[in-house]
Amino acid sequence: MGKPEVLAPAGSLEKLKFAVDFGADAVYLGGKLFNLRAKAANFTLEEMAEAIDYAHKRGVKVYVTLNAFVRNGDFPAVEEFVKEVRQLKPDAFIVSDPGVITTVKELAPEVELHLSTQANVTNYRAVNFYRSAGVSRVVLARELSIEEIREIKERVPDVELEVFVHGAMCMAYSGRCLLSNYLSYRESNKGACSQSCRWKFYLVEETRPGEFMPIEEDQHGTYILNSKDLCALPLLEELIEAGVDSLKIEGRVKSAYYVAVTTSVYRRAVDLLTENREAFYRELPKLMAELEKVSHRPYTTGFLKGENGSLQHYETSSYIRNYKFLGIYRDGVWQVRNPIRVGQEVELFLPTAESFKAKVTAIEVEKKGRIIRAEEAHPNQRAKIRFDKEVPVTERTILRREEAPVGAGV
């Protein structure tokens, strides 16, 4: 069984470092223009240079998203962006517009071309077409089943296939949606989606203005366009056997904590499955439990099993949030992100996807150049923390706390 790449999202320099430190083989990021996550922090050229240097020194690849659909007047800026990024030596550009493909081939011929899922490739003939255009990897449409993916790989074995395995799903076909543009004047195909599909909708008949039709699931209405989140971890073996080369985690606008946990879980899962199949299935319930501890909507395997009847979540568009990210252990101290108090029950999550529970017994914080005892550590402080038991704290360990359940399905 081949070992696929674990590809993690990097919406900012901080998130890139989390992804790299928690086991990604590759990360994908965007500049300030022409990528489809305008709401992410994204990268200046200086930040991108630092990010690529940080990743490459640790053997991790960096793919730069250039996957917006551009207009005639955009090309001078696109050309300048390609020239500037080329100097930073990224491992690939992720593209979708044929005009952009041509531009990158002309201006950065040594950089690989990966075709974005926005191109909605659903068949082997399309893969062949893009191969002839110079594309070395295709990010397949989310609407494909594993069997369809398998056939594409069998027919075009020399093109790498990348498949989304985790994260938010879009109610539109391969993300090509006009709903946001129509309702909020923010164009999803240029990265500014307002997620209008998550809003609450009622049905109104034309001759009865103001009269809501009784289609609600409960007293709060219905969310008829709201999709569940994708989680393909239980199907990992089938995906690898089908020939998938890269397992992609969605989430450039998600938190650093989300990036760390999802990357760590899929890293652990791939390593287990390709080295000890039985151990993977023994650990699968624990790995799934870890994925429940990040902010998410109810999970689905999407179209991967050929089913499409259970993708929408009608009750609410809220996220399930059961855990709060408290801090991360770096350079011998805890870097605090949310308040930590003496007496709290907390959980330590290691980059190996293992977790341990403990109680905080003492806190020391840096304040005005002095180390003092405290009952509470606050965000942005650096703290030393003692627990009621020996815990295997290692570099990059995450500290989190279970909260009162909030969101759908709880």
Side-chain angles (χ1 to χ4, degrees), residues 1-38:
M1 184 181 293
K3 194 168 190 176
E5 169 187 271
V6 175
L7 176 57
S12 67
L13 184 57
E14 180 194 43
K15 294 174 188 177
L16 176 138
K17 291 180 178 180
F18 270 80
V20 171
D21 292 349
F22 277 78
D25 296 304
V27 297
Y28 60 102
L29 56 83
K32 294 296 185 179
L33 297 172
F34 307 121
N35 82 88
L36 290 184
R37 286 296 183 271

Side-chain angles (χ1 to χ4, degrees), residues 259-270:
V259 172
V261 173
T262 54
T263 302
S264 180
V265 167
Y266 279 90
R267 167 81 281 139
R268 174 74 170 158
V270 168

Side-chain angles (χ1 to χ4, degrees), residues 313-350:
H313 185 60
Y314 303 113
E315 297 174 7
T316 175
S317 62
S318 298
Y319 288 90
I320 301 170
R321 294 186 176 97
N322 294 338
Y323 279 75
K324 179 172 285 187
F325 175 31
L326 301 181
I328 185 169
Y329 191 77
R330 283 188 182 277
D331 302 323
V333 296
W334 290 97
Q335 298 177 0
V336 181
R337 299 302 178 88
N338 281 294
I340 306 170
R341 290 184 291 276
V342 171
Q344 280 184 331
E345 293 284 348
V346 296
E347 188 170 289
L348 297 94
F349 179 77
L350 279 63

